[in-house]
Structures are given as structure tokens and as C-alpha cells.
């Protein structure tokens, strides 16, 4: 079908009816290819065949593979049938396996993808994560999406306390959205030891987190972005973020925070702070004076009157968003 297009670099076949890749060899007759980008998302694919041309010729060239929204439920450590095919993608940089109904995942299935930097496992049916899940992954993996897309009345999947100890040490971005984990997810992160010492971005949106203590968030010395959007936070106490000395962006939008005090963000180096869409009724005068590097502040969609947020501070502020708020 596409065997006669040797200069083709990007092929997008999303939302077709490629239910079974063994039915037709779409690269039949191909002798060589420049294809590096392959999008097969939302095709209901349930298996591959090691005899197809892409397994022998095309797969080794692919650096971006999108399999989102298929039915690769047999992507399990005990299944050997597709092992030859998976091992053929030796130059993968980005692999998207989101929304495939995967119940159990084993990084050993990707042990041959030694160049893999981005792995998306979001919105699958994983119910239990153990440290065995991440064994075999490329140690230079930089981005991992484990967002669960859980909605009530479903309960949170279980994560073993030591599950993150085997995460690749080079990991920079970790997504754990929509898991209904509450604040115990920080306990799992704390138990990760050195595995997350290089983490720069952490996304914990939509997790029903209702409160944070000074000891809740573990030490993450390299973290620059923390997103806690769309949780159930009601207050921000002093020094809650003290374990994040290099935090630049803090996203607290769409929570239930009712008040911001002068010490809420004391000693923070944040440059971007989003408090929009909360239930702010009180903002103490000079509340943001102790965030001297702040450049962007979003505080719209709140009922509080916005005045005297800065008394001696705000010298570096270049963006202020008070949309649908009340400014005096």
C-alpha cells in the first residue's frame, strides 16, 4: 500500500479501521524507507505480526510511534507473540500507548528501545503499579505519563510504596494526573529515594488532594514546575513548598482555596503563580511581597476584591491576570 513511497517521512493513519495488522501488510514490497513518524492512533489494533514488512524494514527507522486508543491489551510481560515486533523499534524516541486497556505493564517489553525518551501510558486500565513495571526501561527516559484518567465512582489504582524506586534516574517530567490519589501520592514519591532526584516537572492535577502540611512534599531539589490544578485544596500554610528550592512555576488553579496570607508563599523563588478559579475571599495586603522574583500572577475567577496584593514587592511582575475578578 505504502511500499512505493520511499521518501515518505511522516505517515498519519489515525481513526481508520486497522483492527488487525495481520490482515493486510501496509508496507508490502518496501525495500527501504525514510519513514520516522508513524501515527496509528484510534484504529482498534489488537496485535501485530512479526512477519509484516514494517517489522523487518520500517520499524527500525521509526522514532515516533503513536498507538493511542487501540486495543493492545496483550502488551503484557507474559505475552511473547509480539516480542519480535516490539524489539524491532530500536530507534524509538517517543512511544504513545495511552488508552489501550493495558492492565499490566512491563518495561522489559521495551528493553530493546535504548533511545526511548518519552513514554505515554496514560488512561489505561492499570490497577496496580509495582517496581517491576519500570525494570527494563531505558535509563535515559526523560518523560513518563502515568495519568490514570480515573473518574468517580472508580477508586484509585494501587501503587506500591517502593514502586518508583526503579524509575529511570534521568526522568525529568512525570505525569500522575487523574488518579484520585489524595496526598498519599507524595508518600510514594518520598520513598523513591534517588530515582526522582533529577525530576524537573511534576503534574498531580485532578487527584482529590485536600490539604498539604510542611512535611507532605518530599525534597525534590531540581523541580521547577509543580501542577496541583483541579484538586480540593482549601488553604496554603507557610513553608509548604520549602522542600522545592528551585520551583519556578506553581499551578494551584481551580482548587477551593479561600485565603492567601503574607506567609503563604514565603521564601519561594517562583516566577509564575496561578491561583485562578479558587474561592478566594481574602488576600492579605502584601500577600505576594515575599515572592520577589514573581513575573506572572493569575488570580482571576475569584470572589475576593483584589487590592494591595503588593506593598513593597511586585518589582519583577510583567503579567497580572484578574479576569472575571473584582479589582479596586
Amino acid at each position: 500500500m505504502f511500499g512505493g513511497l520511499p521518501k515518505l517521512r511522516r505517515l498519519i493513519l489515525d481513526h481508520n479501521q486497522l483492527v488487525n495488522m495481520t490482515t493486510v501488510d501496509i508496507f508490502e514490497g518496501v525495500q527501504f524507507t525514510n519513514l520516522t513518524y508513524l501515527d496509528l492512533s484510534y484504529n482498534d489494533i489488537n496485535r501485530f505480526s512479526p512477519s509484516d514488512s514494517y517489522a523487518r524494514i520500517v520499524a527500525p527507522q521509526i522514532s515516533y510511534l503513536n498507538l493511542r486508543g487501540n486495543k493492545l491489551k496483550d502488551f503484557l510481560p507474559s505475552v511473547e507473540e509480539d516480542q519480535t515486533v516490539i524489539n524491532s523499534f530500536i530507534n524509538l524516541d517517543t512511544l504513545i500507548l495511552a488508552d489501550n486497556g493495558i492492565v499490566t505493564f512491563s518495561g522489559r517489553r521495551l528493553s530493546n528501545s535504548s533511545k526511548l525518551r518519552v513514554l505515554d501510558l496514560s488512561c489505561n486500565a492499570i490497577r496496580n503499579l509495582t517496581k517491576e513495571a519500570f525494570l527494563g526501561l531505558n535509563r535515559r527516559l526523560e518523560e513518563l505519563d502515568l495519568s490514570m484518567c480515573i473518574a468517580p465512582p472508580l477508586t484509585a489504582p494501587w501503587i506500591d510504596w517502593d514502586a518508583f524506586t526503579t524509575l529511570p534516574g534521568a526522568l525529568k517530567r512525570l505525569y500522575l494526573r487523574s488518579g484520585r490519589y489524595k496526598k498519599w501520592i507524595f508518600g510514594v514519591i518520598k520513598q523513591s529515594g534517588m530515582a526522582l532526584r533529577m525530576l524537573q516537572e511534576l503534574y498531580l492535577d485532578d487527584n482529590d488532594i485536600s490539604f498539604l502540611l510542611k512535611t507532605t512534599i518530599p525534597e525534590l531539589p531540581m523541580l521547577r514546575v509543580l501542577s496541583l490544578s483541579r484538586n480540593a485544596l482549601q488553604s496554603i500554610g507557610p513553608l509548604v513548598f520549602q522542600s522545592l528550592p528551585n520551583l519556578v512555576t506553581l499551578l494551584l488553579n481551580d482548587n477551593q482555596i479561600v485565603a492567601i496570607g503574607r506567609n503563604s508563599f514565603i521564601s519561594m523563588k517562583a516566577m509564575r503563580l496561578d491561583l485562578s478559579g479558587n474561592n478566594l475571599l481574602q488576600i492579605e495586603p502584601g500577600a505576594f511581597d515575599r515572592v520577589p522574583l514573581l513575573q506572572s500572577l493569575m488570580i482571576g475567577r475569584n470572589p475576593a476584591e483584589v487590592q494591595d496584593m503588593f506593598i513593597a514587592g511586585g518589582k519583577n511582575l510583567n503579567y497580572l491576570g484578574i479576569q472575571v475578578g473584582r479589582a479596586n
Side-chain angles (χ1 to χ4, degrees), residues 24-296:
V24 57
D25 186 349
I26 61 176
F27 293 103
E28 184 178 3
V30 67
Q31 299 299 318
F32 65 92
T33 180
N34 286 310
L35 192 68
T36 59
Y37 184 106
L38 181 58
D39 187 342
L40 295 171
S41 56
Y42 299 104
N43 272 292
D44 290 334
I45 297 170
N46 54 53
R47 69 181 299 270
F48 292 97
S49 171
S51 63
D52 290 344
S53 298
Y54 66 82
R56 294 178 287 104
I57 300 174
V58 179
Q61 305 297 321
I62 300 297
S63 61
Y64 177 96
L65 178 60
N66 187 354
L67 292 167
R68 180 188 299 272
N70 284 285
K71 295 181 178 179
L72 296 174
K73 296 180 181 180
D74 58 356
F75 195 88
L76 305 174
S78 59
V79 177
E80 302 296 334
E81 184 180 41
D82 297 336
Q83 188 70 26
T84 304
V85 179
I86 297 300
N87 283 345
S88 298
F89 290 93
I90 58 175
N91 285 303
L92 273 182
D93 173 87
T94 300
L95 174 60
I96 301 174
L97 290 170
D99 194 17
N100 265 280
I102 296 173
V103 176
T104 304
F105 173 80
S106 173
R108 292 187 176 93
R109 294 298 304 277
L110 299 173
S111 60
N112 216 36
S113 298
S114 60
K115 298 181 180 180
L116 190 66
R117 292 189 312 109
V118 178
L119 176 60
D120 186 348
L121 291 169
S122 62
C123 301
N124 276 294
I126 298 171
R127 300 305 303 159
N128 186 12
L129 274 178
T130 68
K131 62 182 180 181
E132 284 74 23
F134 309 113
L135 294 174
L137 287 177
N138 177 26
R139 294 293 93 187
R140 293 186 292 274
L141 188 76
E142 296 182 4
E143 180 176 316
L144 177 61
D145 195 337
L146 290 170
S147 301
M148 293 298 178
C149 305
I150 298 292
L154 296 177
T155 57
W158 178 252
I159 300 180
D160 285 0
W161 288 107
D162 62 349
F164 290 167
T165 59
T166 55
L167 283 172
L171 200 65
K172 295 180 179 179
R173 294 175 295 279
L174 178 60
Y175 297 82
L176 291 165
R177 292 169 167 155
S178 308
R180 304 195 71 196
Y181 293 125
K182 304 185 185 298
K183 74 180 184 71
W184 67 262
I185 190 62
F186 287 110
V188 178
I189 294 173
K190 185 176 294 187
Q191 295 296 321
S192 65
M194 298 297 293
L196 294 176
R197 299 293 287 182
M198 301 301 293
L199 195 67
Q200 296 181 13
E201 301 179 21
L202 177 59
Y203 298 86
L204 293 170
D205 317 286
D206 299 293
N207 273 301
D208 293 342
I209 300 170
S210 58
F211 66 95
L212 298 171
L213 304 174
K214 286 192 294 185
T215 57
T216 299
I217 302 177
E219 184 179 353
L220 296 170
M222 303 298 291
L223 198 73
R224 296 175 60 83
V225 177
L226 175 61
S227 182
L228 291 165
S229 303
R230 299 182 301 277
N231 278 286
L233 293 171
Q234 299 179 29
S235 62
I236 300 295
L239 301 176
V240 165
F241 304 104
Q242 64 179 339
S243 57
L244 310 173
N246 289 301
L247 191 65
V248 173
T249 298
L250 177 59
L251 306 178
L252 296 169
N253 55 288
D254 297 289
N255 277 275
Q256 300 171 24
I257 302 169
V258 297
I260 297 296
R262 284 181 54 83
N263 294 324
S264 292
F265 302 107
I266 188 172
S267 302
M268 285 187 60
K269 297 180 181 179
M271 297 181 182
R272 181 189 176 204
L273 179 59
D274 190 348
L275 286 160
S276 60
N278 278 278
N279 191 32
L280 285 176
L281 299 172
Q282 180 184 6
I283 303 174
E284 285 190 14
F288 301 104
D289 282 352
R290 298 189 178 185
V291 195
L293 301 180
L294 193 61
Q295 296 179 9
S296 174

